[in-house]
Amino acid sequence: MRALVLAAALLSASPALGAQAVAVSIEELARASDAVVRGRVTTSWAQRTDDGLRVFTTYEVRTIAVLRGRALPAIARVVVPGGVIGRFGQRVDAAPAIAPGEEVVLFLRHAGPAAFRVTGLAQGKFSVVGPVARPDLSNLTFTRTSVRAGERRSEQMPLSELERRVRSTR
């Protein structure tokens, strides 16, 4: 009987998501970022850290508009944890999924003299499709979902609202 109960429990279990997060608002992301940009991803490449234990992928993003912060170079380099090099791959559940050709809004923090990281990881990257901006939060489990009154959490919304919220953040 115990074996049957154990087998039923194992078969009915759903896979656990690897990353837990506290929901942040668009306004919190903007305040924590050095810049917020709308752009198009042009290319990417992955590389291992010097010790060979971790993989990072660098994306080049052609800037369409700077929504907040100082002017950026025409091409911004954005470094994201995880990636694939040959047959070796490393996935980081909270990392934003970015693809060449994609139009994005990115909340960025400086990561050295010529590179940026995405603020809030997956919560700080929005895919733009037509008039809609949407983060991919599918690999996150939220431990807290409330944000400050009057602010809106990182979730699908009209691109115009996302841009307005970013620009009006104090």
Side-chain angles (χ1 to χ4, degrees), residues 74-141:
I75 302 288
R77 288 195 170 162
V78 179
V79 180
V80 174
V84 177
I85 300 173
R87 294 180 7 177
F88 179 77
Q90 188 172 53
R91 186 177 109 182
V92 178
D93 286 331
I98 301 176
E102 181 179 26
E103 185 176 339
V104 294
V105 171
L106 297 171
F107 292 77
L108 301 173
R109 291 195 54 95
H110 286 286
F116 296 89
R117 294 194 190 275
V118 180
T119 308
L121 293 171
Q123 294 183 78
K125 180 258 179 175
F126 285 75
S127 296
V128 176
V129 179
V132 176
R134 178 181 49 83
D136 179 3
L137 307 176
S138 61
N139 288 324
L140 296 177
T141 300

Side-chain angles (χ1 to χ4, degrees), residues 37-59:
V37 299
R38 181 175 172 190
R40 182 163 307 275
V41 182
T42 58
T43 190
S44 68
W45 64 91
Q47 58 196 41
R48 288 186 187 202
T49 55
D50 290 339
D51 61 11
L53 298 176
R54 290 177 301 282
V55 175
F56 287 86
T57 301
T58 300
Y59 297 91

